[in-house]
Amino acid sequence: MGHTGAVWCVDADWDTKHVLTGSADNSCRLWDCETGKQLALLKTNSAVRTCGFDFGGNIIMFSTDKQMGYQCFVSFFDLRDPSQIDSNEPYMKIPCNDSKITSAVWGPLGECIIAGHESGELNQYSAKSGEVLVNVKEHSRQINDIQLSRDMTMFVTASKDNTAKLFDSTTLEHQKTFRTERPVNSAALSPNYDHVVLGGGQEAMDVTTTSTRIGKFEARFFHLAFEEEFGRVKGHFGPINSVAFHPDGKSYSSGGEDGYVRIHYFDPQYFEFEFEA
């Protein structure tokens, strides 16, 4: 307990000792994972949209929304320096004047962050200097989600433009496109198979029917290399907001606006579903 607004983002460090959360209450908070004790409170001028630990668990980053007259910023704090936390002053703060960040992850080796914007742009920001290292625009609408591959050489984006796209993590070179007929809210890469799972569906404000088929609420599976859809999984009665693979690649979970988190177990070789929870 502690936040007084919607919690938009959460991340755990590599050994799951600490958890970082960002909220619409204009704060980013650090917690002890075992006890739930609040360890740090970082106040902001607007809602915190994305947050994350670097791979050593020493550096945190978070981005704030462009709202109430305040522009979007990405802030970096070094947890090894208590003075930064006490003074609420990051060691680096990057302004994002043109379009707010809607999704962000740490890049390979923690040298940069990869940020997706409301405009559909992707930027790679240096974690040392703050400069924009690479800028690309392959999406035409907002990027809702970014998830890295297991080896961090690639990442997949999910966008309101009805597509998910695969990129090289270092160069941001566009590799593959996975097309649907509805906005894609989340996409994930299998850790050990050539599978990509997409979740999304017609936006809640536009849904005028309870039919799961019309709303396109299935999780959809694509082949990573051939970009072809090879399976759909029903279950949710509203748009899917997030998807994630289990580390063994034999199950995945999805969270939807219908208030359910569903876990599906399947045989990846034959794509035969065994059971769901």
Side-chain angles (χ1 to χ4, degrees), residues 36-37 59 81 123 158 203:
K37 180 183 178 183
I59 309 293
D81 182 359
N123 282 334
E203 294 190 50

Side-chain angles (χ1 to χ4, degrees), residues 51-85:
C51 66
F53 287 96
D54 76 340
F55 300 110
N58 295 318
I59 309 293
I60 62 169
M61 68 85 183
F62 60 84
S63 69
T64 54
D65 277 355
K66 184 179 181 181
Q67 61 183 190
M68 299 183 295
Y70 295 101
Q71 67 183 108
C72 170
F73 284 98
V74 185
S75 299
F76 294 82
F77 285 82
D78 190 331
L79 298 178
R80 295 166 295 188
D81 182 359
S83 65
Q84 293 182 25
I85 306 299

Side-chain angles (χ1 to χ4, degrees), residues 7 15 37 52 54 60 81 123 146 155 225 240-241 260 266:
V7 179
D15 56 0
K37 180 183 178 183
D54 76 340
I60 62 169
D81 182 359
N123 282 334
I146 299 174
F155 65 91
I240 296 171
N241 288 333
Y260 286 93
F266 60 95

Side-chain angles (χ1 to χ4, degrees), residues 72-133:
C72 170
F73 284 98
V74 185
S75 299
F76 294 82
F77 285 82
D78 190 331
L79 298 178
R80 295 166 295 188
D81 182 359
S83 65
Q84 293 182 25
I85 306 299
D86 295 339
S87 63
N88 203 46
E89 285 294 330
Y91 75 82
M92 185 167 62
K93 197 171 183 179
I94 307 171
C96 306
N97 300 320
D98 299 329
S99 177
K100 78 172 184 180
I101 292 174
T102 50
S103 185
V105 295
W106 282 91
L109 305 176
E111 294 177 346
C112 63
I113 66 164
I114 300 164
H117 293 256
E118 194 174 32
S119 63
E121 284 187 2
L122 273 172
N123 282 334
Q124 193 182 79
Y125 295 99
S126 169
K128 293 181 180 179
S129 66
E131 66 178 313
V132 178
L133 302 175

Side-chain angles (χ1 to χ4, degrees), residues 24-39:
D25 66 4
N26 298 359
S27 75
C28 186
R29 300 175 191 237
L30 181 69
W31 313 84
D32 182 289
C33 192
E34 185 177 2
T35 65
K37 180 183 178 183
Q38 181 177 296
L39 303 177

